[in-house]
Amino acid sequence: RKQQLKDERYHASEAAAGPSPTAPADGQVACTVHMLPGGGPRCKVAVSQTPLFTADDCAEAIRMAEAHAEAGGGWTTQRHHAVPTTDIPIHEVPELLGWFNRALRGRIAPVLAANFGDTLPTPSALRVHDAFLVRYSASGGQAHLPMHTDESMISLTIVLNDGFAGGGTFFADLRTALSPPVGHVIAFDGHALHGGEPIVRGTRYIVAAFLYVDRTDEDDALMATAAPRGGEPSRL
């Protein structure tokens, strides 16, 4: 029931959020796509080639999370039992929830539909299992995340800041960490084996989200016959 209430909060807030004020003007965002065969024949990671968020957008998200932590007793550390993170649950911060849901519908969902069409038949089918703003710190607290897979169909990372050393999302199939600039997103299949590289200086903030797809029987039949997507960059 607790999970159902959380799901409803994301979905209901998204429907009432209004248009995203800083969505890309031309509606197009190019992504570089890498196939990750260790997670299955269609497993992939897509990295935006241009930012989906301005530096001010990202700074505002960090401000809201830090303010909530200061007012409410700090950052949570025990919500994810297998692979715990130091985070703020987005659904518990109304202002941050509105920020995230506007971005999800206005900027993120169309990019995911363009690059994960064999999983996501239409942007409107995207749902949120969990979303949280994570803080990694080289001076106390959490500095890295061990290798793992996610409880998601599609996972998402939004890069919120720079000015740190180390960090990035390491993918076992790529044997390297991806660390794009502020405002960029990394989206990948939840079956992909990945981890958070250690921070060696400063503090790193990201938004992480576990997403799933509300599919119909017709959607399942269509995706069962779809050809695997290639690794070429794609555009909306």
Side-chain angles (χ1 to χ4, degrees):
R1 178 59 180 165
K2 183 177 180 181
Q3 180 64 46
Q4 182 182 357
L5 290 172
K6 182 169 66 172
D7 294 346
E8 291 172 351
R9 187 172 299 179
Y10 281 110
H11 191 44
S13 180
E14 177 188 349
S20 175
T22 56
D26 60 359
Q28 297 186 356
V29 177
C31 290
T32 300
V33 178
H34 306 275
M35 302 309 295
L36 306 173
R42 297 182 180 181
C43 187
K44 67 185 75 171
V45 55
V47 185
S48 63
Q49 295 180 2
T50 55
L52 274 71
F53 299 84
T54 68
D56 287 344
D57 290 334
C58 297
E60 180 65 5
I62 294 171
R63 182 200 64 77
M64 289 185 281
E66 287 285 9
H68 178 80
E70 183 176 355
W75 294 71
T76 66
T77 58
Q78 301 295 327
R79 291 196 316 114
H80 305 110
H81 298 291
V83 189
T85 55
T86 299
D87 63 46
I88 295 294
I90 286 178
H91 70 279
E92 293 184 359
V93 188
E95 189 179 12
L96 188 57
L97 177 66
W99 177 95
F100 177 77
N101 278 323
R102 286 191 296 273
L104 188 70
R105 189 185 67 247
R107 315 178 210 186
I108 295 168
V111 175
L112 297 184
N115 290 279
F116 294 84
D118 40 25
T119 300
L120 179 62
T122 175
S124 63
L126 194 66
R127 299 290 183 268
V128 180
H129 175 70
D130 197 14
F132 41 104
L133 197 150
V134 183
R135 183 177 70 179
Y136 295 97
S137 176
S139 57
Q142 181 181 14
H144 77 288
L145 201 64
M147 299 295 289
H148 63 284
T149 58
D150 290 338
E151 296 179 353
S152 66
M153 297 178 71
I154 302 172
S155 293
L156 178 77
T157 295
I158 305 170
V159 180
L160 296 180
N161 74 310
D162 53 19
F164 54 85
T169 305
F170 183 92
F171 290 92
D173 280 334
L174 301 181
R175 299 184 179 181
T176 190
L178 302 179
S179 186
V182 173
H184 287 247
V185 301
I186 303 172
F188 52 95
D189 189 297
H191 293 102
L193 184 62
H194 66 287
E197 284 285 90
I199 294 291
V200 298
R201 177 176 55 81
T203 302
R204 178 190 182 213
Y205 294 92
I206 63 170
V207 167
F210 300 155
L211 310 173
Y212 67 98
V213 178
D214 188 7
R215 299 195 306 217
T216 65
D217 291 340
E218 291 182 359
D219 293 330
D220 288 335
L222 178 62
M223 287 184 286
T225 60
R229 306 282 293 259
E232 294 298 319
S234 62
R235 296 188 67 88
L236 288 177

